[in-house]
Amino acid sequence: MKIIKSISHMRKQVLMWKKKGLSVAIVPTMGFFHKGHLSLMRAAGSRADRVVVSLFVNPAQFGPNEDLNRYPRDFERDAKMAEATGVNCLFCPDAKDIYPPGFQTWIRVEELSQGLCGTSRPEHFCGVATIVAKLFIIVQPNMAIFGQKDFQQLQVIRRMVKDLNMPVRIIAHHIVREPDGLALSSRNTYLNVKERESAPALFQALKIAEKMVVRGNLSVPEIIRAVKRHIQSFNNTKIDYVFLGHPESLRPCQKIVGESLLALAVWVGKTRLIDNTLLKPQVNHANRKDKSKDL
Ligand code: AMP
């Protein structure tokens, strides 16, 4: 596996691959790898001839009072894990090269960046869209793999790629979880023992909502109430938001009519966790009224 720090070396490497007709996938990350990251890397390897993993703790996507300085980092461990997973190139540029003095060009995906995580992290998705655009310009990948755990991020990137005619296929990857349902995250390392016990509250709340919908309860206020009640029954939890709405527009809805996104952000102690699921009403529930007419 090659470890590349310089932007120009990265460009040269990709050019060589492209000349040979090889396809390239990128997996953008902030490092401190876990099984979720590795699963994305394997998915990339199964679809493209060459896999680039970017490792960059992007200062632009952290707010002033967020955890940029204490974000977990372990380059040696990450490099070993990526290599063992079959990654061809670990691209780890310096912040001073990505954001040189005088940098002033930002990508803003207007509507999709507001609401959900955008409410408490107003500049976050501008930072995300800008770094991903820069990575796409530097690496020129045929495809990019993103985790569905960061569902709003995925939709922001999809919109950016569409709006800016970027020739990159965006591939969504399922959420990888601990045995008790907690979505894997580099930030889970912040949790102490007691907080770790409360952390599965998010996954359990999503499951409660899924069951309600399968049983035919399509009322958004009732589902949100049940989700909040479950999370609040755990120690050390504070809800940031519970969102239920359209998975593409990310607009909230009053009633579940088709596939809908249930997304959560919850503080567990001082750690903010996110999770989500797509709620799928059964066809027979969605059409119940029509069917009863036929009988
Ligand atoms: P991060 O390093 O946290 O910025 O994440 C890098 C990529 O890994 C993003 O596309 C995330 O959505 C994805 N990712 C993080 N955690 C998980 C997980 N538990 N399951 C699947 N993908 C994940």
Side-chain angles (χ1 to χ4, degrees):
M1 183 184 75
K2 284 195 175 164
I3 295 173
I4 297 183
K5 279 190 93 170
S6 122
I7 292 173
S8 62
H9 285 170
M10 188 67 247
R11 283 186 188 284
K12 278 185 199 146
Q13 175 62 77
V14 173
L15 209 64
M16 270 159 54
W17 287 336
K18 292 272 171 100
K19 270 189 189 154
K20 290 184 189 161
L22 300 170
S23 60
V24 178
I26 187 169
V27 181
T29 81
M30 297 207 300
F32 209 71
F33 296 149
H34 50 64
K35 286 181 191 153
H37 293 116
L38 303 187
S39 187
L40 264 65
M41 294 175 203
R42 275 192 292 272
S46 71
R47 289 162 186 268
D49 300 314
R50 293 291 181 269
V51 175
V52 176
V53 171
S54 61
L55 194 175
F56 182 63
V57 182
N58 177 29
Q61 68 189 69
F62 288 79
N65 298 317
E66 292 182 358
D67 56 342
L68 172 62
N69 290 330
R70 69 177 194 125
Y71 195 83
R73 293 162 169 93
D74 190 338
F75 182 77
E76 299 302 323
R77 175 177 164 272
D78 282 352
K80 276 190 200 139
M81 287 168 88
E83 180 155 36
T85 312
V87 169
N88 301 97
C89 172
L90 193 59
F91 178 45
C92 35
D94 275 343
K96 64 176 177 14
D97 295 329
I98 292 289
Y99 301 113
F103 184 90
Q104 52 188 287
T105 306
W106 299 98
I107 307 261
R108 199 171 286 280
V109 180
E110 300 282 356
E111 225 181 287
L112 290 174
S113 299
Q114 292 163 22
L116 291 89
C117 290
T119 305
S120 56
R121 309 186 76 191
E123 292 305 310
H124 174 68
F125 291 109
C126 176
V128 169
T130 304
I131 186 62
V132 172
K134 285 186 66 115
L135 290 169
F136 286 0
I137 289 165
I138 295 165
V139 176
Q140 311 233 337
N142 302 85
M143 64 194 89
I145 325 283
F146 290 89
Q148 269 182 358
K149 191 193 135 222
D150 299 87
F151 198 93
Q152 189 175 13
Q153 166 174 285
L154 177 65
Q155 299 304 48
V156 164
I157 300 300
R158 280 185 167 142
R159 190 72 244 174
M160 173 186 79
V161 163
K162 236 187 216 169
D163 289 352
L164 298 180
N165 308 99
M166 292 175 165
V168 184
R169 216 173 111 214
I170 303 301
I171 294 159
H173 192 81
H174 66 265
I175 302 174
V176 180
R177 299 179 177 282
E178 297 283 9
D180 64 3
L182 174 63
L184 293 180
S185 164
S186 308
R187 288 188 168 101
N188 290 351
T189 51
Y190 296 154
L191 300 168
N192 66 29
V193 176
K194 286 270 169 241
E195 291 162 355
R196 178 63 188 81
E197 282 170 11
S198 294
L202 282 82
F203 175 70
Q204 291 171 12
L206 296 176
K207 288 287 147 194
I208 288 170
E210 283 174 9
K211 273 192 200 137
M212 289 173 79
V213 169
V214 166
R215 288 184 189 142
N217 187 341
L218 305 180
S219 155
V220 169
E222 281 179 34
I223 293 169
I224 291 185
R225 216 175 304 130
V227 164
K228 285 188 172 169
R229 200 182 311 127
H230 186 76
I231 293 168
Q232 283 159 348
S233 73
F234 284 76
N235 287 329
N236 301 310
T237 58
K238 190 166 159 269
I239 293 171
D240 179 2
Y241 68 78
V242 175
F243 168 88
L244 217 170
H246 195 272
E248 270 174 43
S249 69
L250 301 185
R251 292 196 188 118
C253 62
Q254 291 312 311
K255 193 168 190 295
I256 297 177
V257 280
E259 191 174 70
S260 303
L261 172 70
L262 173 61
L264 320 171
V266 177
W267 288 95
V268 179
K270 289 190 172 139
T271 306
R272 187 173 170 280
L273 302 178
I274 57 170
D275 206 340
N276 68 79
T277 189
L278 288 170
L279 299 176
K280 296 171 184 150
Q282 311 289 294
V283 178
N284 56 340
H285 286 308
N287 297 333
R288 203 157 46 179
K289 272 189 187 157
D290 301 343
K291 277 201 173 160
S292 57
K293 266 187 224 155
D294 295 341
L295 290 173

